[in-house]
Amino acid sequence: MSDLLKLTIREVLALYADRKLSPLEYWLAVEDRIAAFESHVQALYLYDPESARAQASASTERWARGATLGVLDGIPVTIKELIATKGQPVPLGTAAVELVPAAEDAPAAARLREDGAVIFAKTTCPDYGMLSSGLSSFHPLSRNPWDLSQNPGGSSAGASAAAAASFGPLHIGTDIGGSIRLPAGWTGLFGLKPSQGRIPVDPYYVGRCAGPMTRTVEDSAIAMATLTRPDWRDATSLPPNDFNWLDLNMDVKGLRIGLMMEAGIGLGVDPEVYDAVTAAARRFEKAGAIVMPVQPVLTRDMLDGLDNFWRARFWGDIEKMPEERRKLILPYIYQWAEGGTYISGAEAVRGFNQTIEMRKACAKLFSEVDAVISPTNPIVSYPAEWASPTNDPSRPFEHIGFTVPWNMSEQPAASINCGFARSGMPIGLQIVGPRFGDLFVLQLSRAFEQWSGGIHAWPEPGAAS
């Protein structure tokens, strides 16, 4: 049964079609893996194996009748807790929120359900999705399957832990400053933050995207056909796709690729990360791409302005909350948010305006290059119990220098594994494309995956403690 866990979505679907495997049989293999590994990684929220068995059984009947609902029919999927699912609470990762059932599915959940995916759990996140960590005041501490003493990153912490632990092939996260790519980098996954509006989200706010987290590029590409169907609830939602998400072949010869090895601010790049990313750049050069060093797009004024805007916005969200509930927020997050009380309206607006400066800087860079590659994360890993790589609420965003600009510029960006540190922890390569170039990013990522061979040996229960 454990061999089934190594299969890609394409391979699973082919077995379904040939009547060599049923969705129920495949789900039971995933269920066994969860039973063996979940108590260690603590990735899941509202895990419901009984419902999953019923969904998988219904899918098995549909496959037998030749009446499948969509391309993901019978594929086990998790959804990040911040993405609403009808009838289930959305605690936003914090003990401060009252548990009120959601009135309807958010767009990503609705699309997956329409296509017959087996939604078996939500995945954990930190308070309000405001940390690159598996630490939460509501959920148990999520851990990195590669080494349980280390952090899976966040805020899509449970999604990354579940995917790396082989709890099925597809996991949906969200990203406003790196929350898909950062944990993907720290857990060896492929994680895609698409162009703004490519995958509709609700609620929408500046920079927020949903995206797939998978073990292979193709698995994410398959999911994009489902996830990208438009939804009126997201006013940034893009028109229906007029291209084939599985058109992944690309010749990189002649492409101008910028190599960004400094973020401009924040944590410096670990030597092992530097070596792995520069080695990845040489692979692009060997394939005929023109790789050129480029300067950072982010400045201290930009990051501090964004920090001010986010603090003010978040404090505005919670200031009317009863004090006894506010005190339940993770202290790290609450201490950070309290800084918003000292930020004037004018300062908050000036902070927001720095997102425009990020957009301009990114646009200028992409007038000179076709793509950008960089580290995803500046450091290899950090302790599971820490709230962030600095563990300092006065310096909360020192690790997002490579990732956050592309949220504000609305450009697609992905993280893909490019090697391992001596500690055995994965290292992520970020690949960034022009606005609306989501398929282009997938193509570049698939090319690199083919050159590198990808990851074939994922963590096993009992081997990561």
Side-chain angles (χ1 to χ4, degrees):
M1 294 290 275
S2 62
D3 287 344
L4 295 177
L5 301 175
K6 301 175 183 178
L7 299 177
T8 66
I9 291 177
R10 179 193 289 273
E11 292 166 339
V12 171
L13 293 174
L15 291 174
Y16 289 173
D18 291 341
R19 307 289 180 88
K20 295 179 179 178
L21 177 70
S22 74
L24 180 58
E25 289 169 331
Y26 182 53
W27 163 251
L28 292 175
V30 174
E31 186 175 323
D32 286 347
R33 170 53 66 104
I34 294 170
F37 216 168
E38 168 61 8
S39 63
H40 302 286
V41 297
Q42 298 287 291
L44 306 181
Y45 171 60
L46 297 179
Y47 172 47
D48 191 344
E50 184 176 343
S51 171
R53 284 183 226 120
Q55 293 176 66
S57 295
S59 177
T60 297
E61 293 177 3
R62 290 193 295 270
W63 277 96
R65 298 195 316 269
T68 53
L69 297 177
V71 71
L72 294 177
D73 203 321
I75 297 299
V77 178
T78 69
I79 301 174
K80 187 175 179 178
E81 185 249 273
L82 298 179
I83 300 172
T85 46
K86 185 176 180 179
Q88 297 178 323
V90 186
L92 304 178
T94 180
V97 169
E98 296 185 30
L99 300 181
V100 178
E104 59 185 356
D105 285 335
R111 301 296 87 78
L112 291 166
R113 214 180 294 279
E114 289 164 1
D115 274 14
V118 176
I119 302 173
F120 65 90
K122 308 294 284 289
T123 50
T124 63
C125 66
D127 291 52
Y128 299 96
M130 291 302 297
L131 296 177
S132 292
S133 175
L135 186 63
S136 163
S137 66
F138 180 80
H139 299 295
L141 176 64
S142 298
R143 296 178 178 272
N144 195 317
W146 292 95
D147 182 340
L148 298 177
S149 74
Q150 298 300 293
N151 210 294
S155 63
S156 302
S160 64
S166 300
F167 294 178
L170 177 59
H171 307 268
I172 311 304
T174 61
D175 188 315
I176 192 175
S179 288
I180 287 172
R181 290 157 291 157
L182 294 167
W186 278 313
T187 54
L189 302 173
F190 178 74
L192 176 65
K193 181 211 78 69
S195 298
Q196 192 76 52
R198 181 68 72 192
I199 296 176
V201 296
D202 179 40
Y204 157 77
Y205 47 86
V206 176
R208 185 177 187 236
C209 298
M213 301 175 72
T214 59
R215 290 171 298 178
T216 69
V217 175
E218 187 186 65
D219 281 355
S220 282
I222 290 172
M224 288 296 283
T226 295
L227 295 169
T228 54
R229 293 201 292 270
D231 192 295
W232 68 266
R233 290 173 289 176
D234 185 346
T236 72
S237 185
L238 297 178
N241 305 317
D242 58 357
F243 50 81
N244 176 10
W245 284 105
L246 294 180
D247 180 16
L248 296 178
N249 293 324
M250 168 176 281
D251 182 357
V252 305
K253 186 176 181 179
L255 288 178
R256 301 167 300 163
I257 298 180
L259 175 61
M260 185 183 294
M261 293 306 301
E262 295 182 8
I265 53 85
L267 297 175
V269 176
D270 279 359
E272 290 182 284
V273 174
Y274 186 96
D275 290 345
V277 172
T278 53
R282 289 193 292 272
R283 288 185 183 270
F284 281 95
E285 283 185 320
K286 186 177 179 180
I290 302 165
V291 178
M292 58 189 77
V294 295
Q295 295 302 306
V297 291
L298 197 65
T299 66
R300 175 53 63 184
D301 284 346
M302 291 176 187
L303 188 63
D304 287 351
L306 184 63
D307 187 7
N308 283 344
F309 169 64
W310 277 348
R311 286 182 198 242
R313 182 189 182 280
F314 185 59
W315 185 255
D317 288 343
I318 67 171
E319 66 175 338
K320 293 183 179 180
M321 182 183 290
E323 185 177 356
E324 63 272 16
R325 297 206 71 84
R326 280 211 313 260
K327 288 181 178 178
L328 298 175
I329 297 172
L330 192 75
Y332 182 102
I333 288 289
Y334 190 74
Q335 184 178 339
W336 168 78
E338 274 191 310
T341 63
Y342 307 107
I343 296 169
S344 68
E347 287 175 312
V349 171
R350 285 194 291 269
F352 176 80
N353 287 343
Q354 289 298 326
T355 68
I356 308 301
E357 296 305 310
M358 288 187 214
R359 181 190 291 263
K360 289 164 59 178
C362 293
K364 183 177 186 300
L365 174 57
F366 267 79
S367 71
E368 303 165 358
V369 299
D370 300 306
V372 168
I373 58 176
S374 76
T376 304
N377 311 298
I379 65 171
V380 170
S381 65
Y382 63 102
E385 295 79 9
W386 283 19
S388 76
T390 64
N391 209 32
D392 180 355
S394 69
R395 301 169 61 238
F397 302 129
E398 301 300 297
H399 57 291
I400 65 173
F402 288 112
T403 54
V404 71
W406 315 113
N407 293 79
M408 302 306 138
S409 67
E410 303 188 1
Q411 294 175 234
S415 180
I416 188 168
N417 179 257
C418 65
F420 290 83
R422 288 185 296 274
S423 63
M425 299 303 291
I427 295 172
L429 170 73
Q430 183 176 227
I431 299 176
V432 186
R435 195 176 179 210
F436 310 131
D438 305 76
L439 181 59
F440 178 59
V441 169
L442 285 167
Q443 291 168 335
L444 288 176
S445 300
R446 176 60 176 151
F448 181 78
E449 183 180 55
Q450 291 177 315
W451 302 331
S452 67
I455 297 176
H456 297 286
W458 291 88
E460 291 291 336
S465 57

